[in-house]
Amino acid sequence: MKEETINRAQLETLSFSDLVKLADEYGVDVPEDLDRRFLIAELLEIIEEEENFNEDMMIATEDAPDNASVMTGNYNETQVSGVLRNPAWLFVFWNISETDATKIKEMPDCSLMLRICALKEPKDPVPEEAFEIQTATESQEQYVLLPKGKKYIKIELVYVTASSGKVLAFSPVITIPQGSSMLNDIQMAQDTELSPVLELSGIRNILSEHYKKHRHSFS
């Protein structure tokens, strides 16, 4: 299917299992609970990037103009980045250069970690809060549950030993969309007073259903 031009209309006709198979062709690991619309959007973005890559990265020579080659590989750089799935979940992906990978393998007590840093302002040199997560074995992508009420997040890819640690790479600062503070602070077990307009909107039922289906996002 890669050889054909794929658009949203075509993807909408596919079953979820077929979308997962297509994602697998592009090397995307799909969580079981991933929303169908999010998966379609991810596939469209990947397909567009691949098409742009093939067009922009062609290297032609005067001797053989018809035999162009495409630059491939990860450019041997250590990088980390993240994409918001929603304000609660962040999809983190990274790459490690050959030099760093060799260095890590030579240290038997070394662990590769993701450090999630919460910032008050985008340019703050020191985070107001940070926590570390063990990366999945031999994986280069992972979903991370974000702390509640944070506006700016930066990801650091670090290795940690018993005696030291080092930041291998860090992501650009990611801005978390902020909702209404009134709705964010609603507690399901409390009887919160709402305006007549919000009551008519059915917000209580919406919050109740959200809590039932996504209670792991509440803290």
Side-chain angles (χ1 to χ4, degrees):
M1 296 182 70
K2 285 186 180 181
E3 297 178 354
E4 302 176 359
T5 301
I6 302 175
N7 54 41
R8 180 178 292 276
Q10 290 173 307
L11 294 178
E12 291 287 358
T13 63
L14 299 179
S15 65
F16 185 77
S17 60
D18 287 336
L19 290 172
V20 172
K21 291 179 182 177
L22 181 59
D24 186 60
E25 291 182 26
Y26 285 95
V28 178
D29 185 21
V30 181
E32 295 182 359
D33 60 346
L34 185 64
D35 184 87
R36 173 187 173 86
R37 292 171 297 176
F38 181 81
L39 177 55
I40 290 176
E42 286 292 302
L43 283 169
L44 288 172
E45 183 176 345
I46 292 170
I47 293 168
E48 181 180 357
E49 288 179 355
E50 183 171 284
E51 290 177 350
N52 292 337
F53 175 83
N54 290 337
E55 293 174 0
D56 297 340
M57 302 304 290
M58 285 291 185
I59 302 176
T61 63
E62 294 181 0
D63 296 334
D66 296 330
N67 296 326
S69 61
V70 180
M71 295 178 64
T72 59
N74 53 35
Y75 312 114
N76 199 28
E77 294 182 4
T78 300
Q79 301 173 325
V80 63
S81 191
V83 177
L84 282 175
R85 176 181 178 183
N86 54 45
W89 286 96
L90 179 68
F91 179 68
V92 183
F93 52 97
W94 60 93
N95 182 71
I96 302 177
S97 68
E98 293 179 4
T99 301
D100 287 334
T102 301
K103 185 187 302 182
I104 291 172
K105 288 179 180 178
E106 291 175 349
M107 294 184 287
D109 61 340
C110 180
S111 297
L112 191 65
M113 312 281 284
L114 295 175
R115 181 181 294 149
I116 310 302
C117 304
L119 310 174
K120 283 189 176 181
E121 298 295 335
K123 295 184 179 180
D124 284 353
V126 179
E128 63 172 340
E129 181 182 331
F131 62 93
E132 294 178 350
I133 301 173
Q134 178 72 51
T135 60
T137 304
E138 297 183 356
S139 174
Q140 291 182 290
E141 56 189 41
Q142 191 163 328
Y143 276 97
V144 174
L145 180 61
L146 296 174
K148 183 180 178 183
K150 305 302 179 183
K151 189 172 182 180
Y152 301 106
I153 294 290
K154 182 174 71 174
I155 313 153
E156 294 179 348
L157 182 65
V158 301
Y159 74 75
V160 178
T161 66
S163 59
S164 65
K166 180 182 177 181
V167 177
L168 296 172
F170 57 87
S171 73
V173 174
I174 300 169
T175 302
I176 311 298
Q178 302 296 298
S180 166
S181 59
M182 179 186 67
L183 294 180
N184 288 340
D185 294 338
I186 287 179
Q187 300 295 322
M188 298 305 300
Q190 298 178 359
D191 186 14
T192 305
E193 184 177 350
L194 300 175
S195 69
V197 173
L198 281 176
E199 290 285 4
L200 288 173
S201 72
I203 189 64
R204 290 191 187 278
N205 290 334
I206 293 174
L207 290 171
S208 177
E209 287 300 312
H210 179 72
Y211 178 74
K212 291 176 183 177
K213 295 178 181 178
H214 305 286
R215 65 184 66 191
H216 54 280
S217 299
F218 289 76
S219 59

